[in-house]
Amino acid sequence: MELSKVTLEIFSKLEQKWLYHCEGKKTRVLSIDGGGTTGIVAGAALIHLEDQIQAKTGDSNARIADFFDIVVGTGIGALLAAMLVADDGSGRPLFSARDAVKFLSENQMELFKVKSVGVFRRRMRFSGKSMDKVLKEAFRRDDGRFLTLKDTCKPLLVPCFDLNSSAPFVFSRADASETPSFDFELWKVIRATSATPSMFKPYKLTSTDGKTSCLAVDGGLVMNNPTAAAVTHVLHKKIFRQ
């Protein structure tokens, strides 16, 4: 079955039960799983969802972020999540779903550029420098400033695993809004949650004020489906403190 047909079947009931009842007070969570390097299924689903939102509302400028209260993602899903909620400087999303998927597709080879390592160069890794370059391009404004967790139009959650503390670490706009010690540049956050062991080296990053550091590996190791993090976030009412 074609991917478009699969996507349509998956979302048809969601649209019927959700898009026609957007006036409710329930918290709407968008969770984008990690896994793989292409994000093809998630990307197709997001494009379809945004197309349907625009069709139902009659607003060609409507974005997915307008209809969700919190967005969470890990791995390649975190990249899509961050692109959907990154603030363009006017309070609107920097990318539409279609633009985000297009960017991912056009930069796929550079995001996951293969290099050979080891004595006989038989081990395969992805180039961290190549990924850094692409992520910086995605999350840098025209004035040259890199976007941080605070520069999002909707709350964003991104998990990773911190080797320093041997525990999960969740990057959160709520925490970033409370103190710069938990505010990190968005491109580094995505780099951290994408650092799959054996494919990338652990990624070290520090907060914007230099007081908090993390030696991160792939968030999918502990939270490939990050929905639970979003639910916990909402239950602790952090979403309302942002």
Side-chain angles (χ1 to χ4, degrees):
M1 185 179 292
E2 294 181 4
L3 179 61
S4 59
K5 293 182 179 179
V6 174
T7 305
L8 181 61
E9 288 186 6
I10 292 173
F11 279 88
S12 60
K13 291 186 178 180
L14 172 64
E15 291 160 10
Q16 293 172 6
K17 295 182 179 180
W18 180 74
L19 289 178
Y20 288 112
H21 302 280
C22 290
E23 300 301 323
K25 295 182 179 180
K26 294 182 179 179
T27 300
R28 300 183 181 91
V29 175
L30 175 61
S31 177
I32 309 176
D33 294 354
T37 59
T38 63
I40 184 171
V41 174
L46 291 169
I47 289 174
H48 178 71
L49 179 58
E50 192 164 87
D51 285 347
Q52 291 302 305
I53 287 174
Q54 293 174 354
K56 302 297 183 186
T57 61
D59 182 1
S60 61
N61 292 315
R63 297 288 180 260
I64 286 176
D66 298 330
F67 289 84
F68 285 91
D69 300 298
I70 183 170
V71 181
V72 55
T74 187
I76 196 71
L79 174 55
L80 288 168
M83 294 178 79
L84 292 177
V85 300
D87 192 330
D88 67 358
S90 67
R92 296 296 297 155
L94 187 61
F95 293 88
S96 67
R98 195 173 299 278
D99 288 340
V101 173
K102 180 181 178 182
F103 181 89
L104 182 59
S105 176
E106 291 177 345
N107 291 279
Q108 185 69 36
M109 297 301 293
E110 292 301 311
L111 273 170
F112 299 99
K113 187 174 183 178
V114 177
K115 66 176 183 178
S116 299
V117 298
V119 177
F120 299 103
R121 305 188 70 79
R122 293 179 179 176
R123 292 171 53 208
M124 306 299 290
R125 280 186 181 270
F126 292 126
S127 170
K129 290 183 178 180
S130 182
M131 175 176 273
D132 291 352
K133 181 179 179 181
V134 175
L135 294 179
K136 287 179 180 179
E137 178 185 346
F139 298 109
R140 178 165 45 203
R141 284 192 177 146
D142 293 338
D143 61 4
R145 188 176 72 85
F146 290 114
L147 301 177
T148 71
L149 284 167
K150 291 174 64 176
D151 298 315
T152 53
C153 54
K154 284 294 175 71
L156 174 69
L157 293 178
V158 177
C160 73
F161 187 82
D162 181 16
L163 295 178
N164 287 334
S165 62
S166 298
F169 187 100
V170 179
F171 299 100
S172 161
R173 192 186 81 168
D175 295 332
S177 298
E178 292 180 357
T179 171
S181 295
F182 288 103
D183 192 20
F184 295 81
E185 291 179 351
L186 273 178
W187 77 267
K188 293 181 179 179
V189 170
I190 306 307
R191 183 70 172 79
T193 194
S194 302
T196 306
S198 79
M199 294 299 183
F200 288 102
K201 293 180 180 179
Y203 185 72
K204 184 176 182 179
L205 68 164
T206 57
S207 57
T208 55
D209 65 358
K211 293 183 178 180
T212 304
S213 64
C214 177
L215 184 60
V217 293
D218 184 9
L221 295 176
V222 291
M223 213 176 293
N224 192 51
N225 183 342
T227 307
V231 172
T232 302
H233 193 78
V234 173
L235 291 176
H236 283 78
K237 301 186 184 301
K238 284 192 174 184
I239 190 173
F240 303 112
R241 301 206 303 265
Q242 301 181 60

